[in-house]
């Protein structure tokens, strides 16, 4: 197990270096001039030159990369050109928001997707199955922004139950925090639940036809126990993979959903930063997200090994 | 286990819904004003800031030496009076006594000099060009400063009604350096409390404000909500009290709602098409070289029809860098009527055959695309083939600078002095002159307008600019938007100044 872990950890280093180079290189390909977009309407050549100098925009790309990497290795992710605040503080400000939203969305997805998948597999070709499939189709084909706006009109404008947008920190007022995040979490969770339902359904169907399920039934076990204890447990491996990947995706920010509900998370930060060519912020956020994503994959790998000892090899 | 998680998720949904229902009314409070902004402001440092939306927040935290009123007249704010010398090269400003900064420091001539010097010297200051005419600032006595100019510059006072005139606490600015914008300390009616990037900016009433008797709001929260529909939904649901930049297409919704009010003013700026006349290879066309072809293009456009089709007639058609209501508008040059026959005749006269194909760069946006398409179809009737190229905004700025366009649909947010809407776009080699238009007579007329302080004399100088620039120049002015602010019926006493900023002094919440 230890050797496995060490091997996986070693693989992370070159991956991260490659990711950092990719982010840096790719965003240099973006058309537009960061100094020009920063200046906006106040375009004076002398001031533009000062900005380019201050942020080393005139230096060759490898030199810029070197300075950035040097900073990153010493724990300094750089400074936002637009806001003058440090990228690390921006990340620290947004990470809890995104984590909360991702966790809530995942809980909603699990809460809906897995039971629906199980029911659909167990009650194959019945009204339950068709209903669940219809739900999945709806979840997959409803665009987030549309569902989001509809929910705002229903729950905020018409019924007045929930604030239309904005965000309150959990520590500040947990009720208000849940009230501001429940709609975006549902919008995100809804789409995920659909995918989760389809995966759970197919994995469960496979498991239900396996020999050990027949054996379990032959032993006279209660059907509920057969489904939940024997079939579900075995069907969970692909679902865990999916969950880990989805959680990673959620952490990189739900761009449209955050924009509609004005949730100040990673997605909104990264979009604003790309449009403003605030390179340091884009680089910092992508690097942090990549690290989290890779770590989650590692955790998923560990989870497999724990679930299935044969993989320990 | 999985069942438990599912149940947890369900109970979370349920509890949050219940909590939200019970919680919603708590969002509305007595004298807490919640303002929805169309964008997230940039750094809140008067020297380093450059966005329009940032100025809306500054309006509550940083007072300026002067301000403008509803009729665009310059009125004193932190200044009491001013006097320009006969040769126009010195401006003496008397300051308001008894003013304090948010950190308790007194505002005096030394502080005013410090603020102006900081605008002029701090690295990356966007105020440098605005105050470019100022050579030195002298402290005459504790409540008087003198600005010594390099040359007479009449738009200077107008500059001091904006960020260049904002006064900062020297003690706080000195301590914070270029991080001053993270916690700005000025002398406005509200003091900065906190900012969560892209989420909110909170300010609270400043007890020692010089005009505190007219401040009736205790706290303001600015919430940037980019999507116009969602911004309005927040206003309708009671989550906000006031929103800026209502979409023209939402005007009816606001007017039809008895609980909402719509307040508007014609913007200071303009919307138009910049035509590439001399910037790079794309200017090598009859369109760029022959003013008759450009005149034909203008005659093909019906500005009023465009306004009706795209904006339900809510905006104001225009053909100059200031709106027809402005004192400096040149009545001798009215908006030309659409005349397709004349346009075709002009093209023939210029020896142009076949459709005139033009690369039309349009920054991405629903309204800009609609405007471009209407212009495209109108111009087609006269023999122009506009190839619309929708481009992301940041990219379009760079391409405009590089001359990679023939037509560029771009506007200007506007300044209170006509110089701010014209000089930097129309004179030779100026930073915003992407077309590289250059005419000595236009330059000379602009310099004269800058050197005169009498408005009537300045208007005459601008008449010379109009006579040359409107028929031959590089910008086709098309319309002026309206600054649209929507508020709930709880808000009273709100007045809209044409610069679009939200001023909260005098505003009450029922």
């Amino acid at each position: 197990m230890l050797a496995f872990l060490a091997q996986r950890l070693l693989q992370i280093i070159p991956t991260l270096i490659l990711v950092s180079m990719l982010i840096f290189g790719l965003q240099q390909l973006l058309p537009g001039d960061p100094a020009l977009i920063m200046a906006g309407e106040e375009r004076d050549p002398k001031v533009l030159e000062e900005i380019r100098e201050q942020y080393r925009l005139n230096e060759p790309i490898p030199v810029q990369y070197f300075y950035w990497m040097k900073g990153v290795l010493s724990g300094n992710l750089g400074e936002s050109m637009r806001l003058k605040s440090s990228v690390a503080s921006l990340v620290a400000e947004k990470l809890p928001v995104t984590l909360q939203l991702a966790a809530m969305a995942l809980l909603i997805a699990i809460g809906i997707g897995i039971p629906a998948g199980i029911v659909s597999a167990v009650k194959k070709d019945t009204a339950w199955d068709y209903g669940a499939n219809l739900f999945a189709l709806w979840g997959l084909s409803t665009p987030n922004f549309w569902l989001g706006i509809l929910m705002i009109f229903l729950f905020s404008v018409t019924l007045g139950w929930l604030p239309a947008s904005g965000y309150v920190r959990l520590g500040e007022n947990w009720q208000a925090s849940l009230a501001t995040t429940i709609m975006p979490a549902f919008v995100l969770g809804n789409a995920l639940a659909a995918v989760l339902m389809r995966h759970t359904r197919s994995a469960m169907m496979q498991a239900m036809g396996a020999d050990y399920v027949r054996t379990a039934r032959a032993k006279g076990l209660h059907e509920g126990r057969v489904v939940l204890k024997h079939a579900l447990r075995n069907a969970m491996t692909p679902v865990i993979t999916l969950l880990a990947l989805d959680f990673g995706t959620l952490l990189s920010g739900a761009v449209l959903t955050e924009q509609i509900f004005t949730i100040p998370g990673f997605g909104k930060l990264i979009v604003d930063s790309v449009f403003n060519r605030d390179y340091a912020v884009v680089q910092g956020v992508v690097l942090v997200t990549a690290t989290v994503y890779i770590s989650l994959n590692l955790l998923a790998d560990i989870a497999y090994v724990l679930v299935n000892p044969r993989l320990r090899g | 286990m999985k069942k438990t998680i599912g149940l947890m998720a369900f109970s979370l949904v349920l509890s949050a819904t219940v909590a939200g229902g019970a919680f919603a009314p708590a969002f509305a409070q007595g004298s807490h004003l919640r303002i929805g902004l169309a964008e997230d402001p940039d750094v809140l440092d008067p020297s380093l800031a450059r966005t329009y939306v940032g100025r809306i927040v500054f309006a509550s935290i940083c007072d300026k030496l002067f301000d403008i009123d509803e009729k665009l007249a310059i009125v004193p704010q932190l200044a009491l009076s001013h006097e320009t010398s006969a040769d126009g090269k010195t401006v003496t400003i008397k300051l308001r006594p008894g003013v304090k900064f948010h950190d308790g420091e007194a505002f005096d001539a030394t502080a005013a000099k410090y603020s102006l010097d900081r605008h002029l010297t701090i690295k990356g200051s966007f105020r440098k060009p605005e105050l470019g005419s100022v050579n030195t600032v002298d402290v005459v006595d504790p409540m008087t400063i003198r600005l010594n100019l390099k040359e007479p510059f009449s738009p200077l006072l107008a500059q001091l009604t904006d960020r260049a005139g904002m006064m900062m606490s020297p003690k706080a600015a000195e301590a914070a350096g270029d991080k001053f914008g993270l916690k700005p300390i000025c002398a406005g009616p509200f003091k900065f409390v906190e900012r969560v990037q892209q989420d909110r900016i909170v300010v609270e009433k400043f007890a020692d404000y010089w005009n505190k008797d007219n401040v009736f709001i205790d706290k303001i929260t600015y919430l940037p909500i980019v999507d116009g529909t969602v911004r309005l939904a927040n206003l309708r649901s009671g989550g906000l009290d006031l929103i800026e930049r209502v979409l023209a297409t939402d005007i009816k919704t606001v007017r039809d709602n008895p609980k909402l009010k719509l307040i508007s003013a014609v913007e200071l700026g303009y919307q138009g098409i910049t035509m590439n006349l001399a910037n790079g290879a794309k200017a090598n066309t009859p369109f760029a070289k022959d003013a008759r072809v450009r005149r034909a293009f203008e005659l093909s456009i019906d500005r009023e029809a465009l306004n009706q089709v795209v904006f339900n007639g809510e905006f104001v058609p225009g053909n100059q860098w200031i709106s027809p209501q402005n004192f400096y508008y040149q009545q001798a040059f009215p908006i030309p009527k659409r005349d397709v026959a004349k346009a075709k005749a002009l093209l023939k006269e210029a020896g142009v055959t076949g459709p005139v194909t033009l690369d039309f760069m349009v920054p991405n946006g629903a309204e800009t695309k609609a405007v471009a398409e209407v212009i495209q179809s109108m111009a087609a009737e006269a023999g122009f083939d506009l190839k619309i190229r929708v481009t992301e905004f940041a990219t379009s700025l760079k391409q405009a600078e590089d001359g990679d366009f023939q037509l560029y649909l771009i506007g200007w947010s506007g300044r209170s002095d006509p110089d701010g809407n014209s000089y930097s776009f129309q004179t030779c080699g100026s930073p915003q002159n992407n077309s590289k238009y250059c005419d000595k007579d236009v330059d000379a007329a602009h310099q004269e307008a800058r050197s005169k302080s009498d408005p009537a004399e300045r208007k005459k100088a601008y008449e010379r600019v109009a006579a040359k620039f409107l028929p031959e120049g590089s910008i086709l002015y098309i319309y002026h938007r309206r600054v649209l602010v929507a508020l709930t019926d709880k808000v009273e006493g709100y007045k809209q100044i044409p610069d679009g900023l939200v001023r909260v002094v005098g505003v009450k919440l029922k």
Side-chain angles (χ1 to χ4, degrees):
Chain A
M1 185 68 183
L2 269 179
F4 166 80
L5 255 182
Q7 188 199 354
R8 277 317 181 93
L9 280 172
L10 273 177
Q11 280 172 2
I12 288 182
I13 298 166
T15 315
L16 277 178
I17 292 177
L18 204 69
V19 166
S20 74
M21 286 172 133
L22 263 178
I23 317 161
F24 205 91
L26 281 178
Q27 74 173 358
Q28 302 292 334
L29 293 179
L30 279 177
D33 174 355
L36 205 59
I37 186 71
M38 185 184 165
E41 288 195 333
E42 322 290 337
R43 253 172 278 159
D44 185 79
K46 278 185 216 146
V47 181
L48 287 177
E49 204 42 47
E50 273 185 24
I51 295 172
R52 289 192 185 112
E53 232 170 72
Q54 200 176 351
Y55 292 95
R56 296 204 174 88
L57 299 171
N58 285 333
E59 307 266 13
I61 292 168
V63 176
Q64 290 184 39
Y65 178 76
F66 170 77
Y67 279 112
W68 177 59
M69 240 6 228
K70 207 173 127 188
V72 171
L73 291 175
S74 57
N76 175 11
L77 287 174
E79 181 191 275
S80 159
M81 273 173 70
R82 196 173 78 89
L83 303 162
K84 290 269 168 205
S85 45
S86 76
V87 175
S89 72
L90 282 173
V91 168
E93 197 178 274
K94 309 293 171 198
L95 193 60
V97 182
T98 300
L99 267 176
Q100 184 191 343
L101 189 63
M104 284 173 68
L106 209 65
L107 278 181
I108 292 173
I110 293 171
I112 302 173
I114 293 182
I118 297 171
V119 169
S120 165
V122 174
K123 311 257 178 196
K124 194 166 164 273
D125 294 332
T126 64
W128 289 96
D129 185 22
Y130 299 140
N133 271 303
L134 205 67
F135 157 76
L137 195 68
W138 178 74
L140 282 174
S141 52
T142 314
N144 279 0
F145 65 88
W146 185 74
L147 182 62
I149 287 182
L150 276 192
M151 288 186 78
I152 290 177
F153 275 98
L154 179 64
F155 292 109
S156 307
V157 178
T158 313
L159 298 171
W161 290 358
L162 293 167
S165 61
Y167 175 74
V168 178
R169 276 164 288 196
L170 258 181
E172 205 175 311
N173 178 340
W174 69 271
Q175 288 158 302
S177 185
L178 289 181
T180 50
T181 42
I182 191 72
M183 283 200 286
F186 181 80
V187 167
L188 289 171
N190 174 56
L192 275 184
V195 184
L196 211 56
M197 177 261 158
R198 304 285 295 211
H199 274 80
T200 311
R201 181 178 184 267
S202 67
M204 275 300 282
M205 274 173 21
Q206 212 176 2
M208 293 295 283
D211 290 345
Y212 59 83
V213 168
R214 202 179 38 197
T215 313
R217 277 182 180 144
K219 283 197 298 186
L221 283 182
H222 184 262
E223 183 65 13
R225 204 170 152 80
V226 172
V227 171
L228 293 177
K229 178 116 196 208
H230 292 264
L232 182 63
R233 198 182 162 127
N234 280 286
M236 274 298 106
T237 317
V239 178
I240 290 176
T241 321
L242 187 75
L243 283 175
L245 288 176
D246 280 342
F247 194 62
T249 312
L250 283 172
L251 284 186
S252 61
V255 174
L256 274 174
T257 312
E258 286 186 7
Q259 198 81 9
I260 287 170
F261 291 97
T262 325
I263 299 290
F266 270 2
K268 206 164 146 42
L269 180 66
I270 211 160
V271 169
D272 284 1
S273 307
V274 169
F275 283 135
N276 287 297
R277 304 291 189 270
D278 202 344
Y279 287 170
V281 179
V282 180
Q283 283 155 203
V285 174
V286 175
L287 194 66
V288 170
T289 314
T291 312
V292 173
Y293 203 91
I294 292 170
S295 310
L296 282 173
N297 265 313
L298 181 69
L299 284 178
D301 285 350
I302 294 170
Y304 294 156
V305 176
L306 291 179
V307 170
N308 190 347
R310 274 177 302 175
L311 291 171
R312 277 176 211 173
Chain B
M1 169 69 188
K2 300 295 160 193
K3 249 182 167 175
T4 324
I5 293 175
L7 271 175
M8 274 168 61
F10 179 67
S11 53
L12 190 73
V13 174
L14 200 70
S15 66
T17 312
V18 173
F23 182 78
F27 270 82
Q29 277 166 19
S31 55
H32 177 193
L33 184 71
R34 296 147 310 161
I35 299 178
L37 303 174
E39 295 156 86
D40 187 38
D42 60 327
V43 62
L44 293 174
D45 181 321
S47 304
L48 304 177
R50 76 256 169 233
T51 56
Y52 169 77
V53 67
R55 290 165 62 200
I56 296 179
V57 179
F58 278 132
S60 71
I61 51 179
C62 292
D63 267 13
K64 307 156 290 188
L65 288 175
F66 299 92
D67 200 3
I68 51 170
D69 66 12
E70 289 145 288
K71 291 181 179 138
L72 297 182
I74 294 175
V75 291
Q77 198 170 47
L78 290 180
L80 271 186
S81 63
H82 76 278
E83 199 182 318
T84 306
S85 64
D87 66 356
K89 289 183 78 172
T90 58
V91 178
T92 308
I93 300 173
K94 285 230 175 283
L95 305 172
R96 185 179 293 279
V99 174
K100 274 190 179 161
F101 289 110
H102 300 150
D103 59 357
E105 295 287 306
F107 167 68
D108 57 12
T110 318
K113 176 179 160 57
Y114 177 87
S115 296
L116 292 169
D117 283 346
R118 186 178 187 270
H119 287 319
L120 280 166
T121 53
I122 190 169
K123 202 167 188 183
S125 164
F126 288 106
R127 308 289 85 81
K128 272 180 215 176
E130 293 168 13
L131 295 173
S133 62
V134 178
N135 196 14
T136 52
V137 181
D138 294 336
V139 172
V140 179
D141 66 45
M143 291 323 282
T144 313
I145 54 166
R146 184 169 54 229
L147 276 55
N148 303 305
L149 311 188
K150 293 169 190 159
E151 62 212 348
F153 185 68
S154 55
L156 179 66
L157 279 192
Q159 300 287 19
L160 298 176
T161 66
D162 199 348
R163 287 161 297 197
M166 285 178 192
M167 298 290 112
M168 298 159 273
S169 159
K171 196 176 146 194
E174 201 56 36
D178 72 347
K179 303 276 182 258
F180 179 76
L182 300 182
K183 197 181 186 305
I185 307 278
C186 295
F190 291 82
K191 60 181 181 188
F192 178 86
V193 176
E194 68 157 346
R195 174 175 194 178
V196 179
Q197 308 293 348
Q198 299 166 310
D199 181 33
R200 74 191 116 147
I201 295 169
V202 183
V203 299
E204 65 182 19
K205 187 175 174 177
F206 175 43
D208 289 331
Y209 183 54
W210 63 270
N211 189 16
K212 58 175 179 287
D213 294 344
N214 286 313
V215 180
F216 309 105
I217 305 283
D218 292 329
K219 182 176 159 189
I220 308 173
T221 304
Y222 294 93
L223 297 144
I225 301 174
V226 180
D227 191 290
T229 315
V230 177
R231 205 157 57 245
L232 181 59
N234 271 280
L235 187 76
R236 290 166 68 189
S237 70
L240 291 173
D241 305 303
L242 185 153
I243 59 170
E244 56 116 5
R245 277 181 271 180
V246 174
L247 299 178
T249 41
D250 284 336
I251 291 176
K252 196 176 172 306
T253 315
V254 178
R255 284 200 184 125
D256 289 350
N257 190 327
K259 286 187 175 165
L260 302 181
K261 288 185 277 187
L262 186 77
I263 293 189
S264 77
V266 179
E267 70 168 344
L268 289 177
Y270 61 80
Q271 304 300 312
I273 299 176
T274 299
M275 303 175 281
N276 186 354
L277 300 192
N279 188 358
K282 285 206 171 174
N284 204 5
T285 60
F287 182 79
K289 307 252 178 271
D290 194 331
R292 286 172 299 185
V293 184
R294 298 200 293 279
R295 174 81 182 145
F297 178 56
E298 179 170 22
L299 286 173
S300 74
I301 298 169
D302 186 336
R303 290 166 164 95
E304 185 49 50
L306 174 86
N307 181 32
Q308 293 295 340
V309 171
V310 186
F311 304 112
N312 297 322
E314 297 284 352
F315 288 174
V316 178
N319 66 325
Q320 296 177 24
W321 51 97
I322 25 116
S323 77
Q325 283 103 318
N326 193 293
F327 167 78
Y328 289 99
Y329 185 82
Q330 305 292 336
Q331 278 79 8
F333 301 91
I335 300 172
K337 289 245 175 326
R338 185 177 197 228
D339 191 338
V340 176
K342 197 171 169 192
K344 283 181 177 167
L346 275 170
L347 285 181
K348 203 173 166 191
E349 193 185 310
V352 177
T353 50
V356 181
T357 306
L358 294 168
D359 169 32
F360 191 9
M361 182 162 70
V362 178
N364 199 8
E367 278 183 3
T368 48
K369 269 192 271 188
V371 170
E373 280 161 10
V374 172
I375 292 174
Q376 182 187 44
S377 68
M378 285 175 174
E381 286 179 41
F384 290 90
D385 180 13
L386 307 189
K387 305 282 187 203
I388 294 177
R389 179 162 56 88
V390 177
T391 310
E392 184 248 346
F393 184 64
T395 311
S396 78
L397 285 180
K398 177 82 176 111
Q399 295 194 347
E401 189 141 296
D402 294 344
D404 189 6
F405 71 101
Q406 281 166 328
L407 302 175
Y408 180 26
L409 188 70
I410 185 85
W412 176 245
S413 72
R415 301 290 180 263
S416 59
D417 192 278
D419 183 85
N421 283 8
S422 54
Y423 187 90
S424 183
F425 302 87
Q426 301 175 351
T427 57
C428 305
S430 281
Q432 313 259 24
N433 185 349
N434 289 323
S435 165
K436 304 242 185 276
Y437 169 81
C438 185
D439 185 281
K440 279 183 187 148
D441 294 339
V442 169
D443 277 19
H446 268 298
Q447 289 305 343
E448 192 184 321
R450 281 187 155 190
S451 66
K452 304 273 191 223
S453 51
D454 175 29
E457 280 186 84
R458 293 186 75 197
K459 191 172 177 180
K460 272 192 180 156
Y462 284 123
E463 190 179 344
R464 280 166 42 214
V465 175
K468 194 96 189 199
F469 191 81
L470 294 183
E472 293 174 10
S474 54
I475 302 173
L476 191 61
Y477 303 96
I478 305 177
Y479 65 94
H480 306 272
R481 292 174 304 191
R482 268 180 192 279
V483 171
L484 295 165
V485 167
L487 28 100
T488 64
D489 54 5
K490 288 195 303 172
V491 184
E492 283 180 346
Y494 182 78
K495 280 185 203 155
Q496 189 59 56
I497 309 285
D499 59 10
L501 306 190
V502 178
R503 288 168 175 79
V504 276
V505 173
V507 172
K508 288 179 186 170
L509 264 181
K510 265 198 277 188

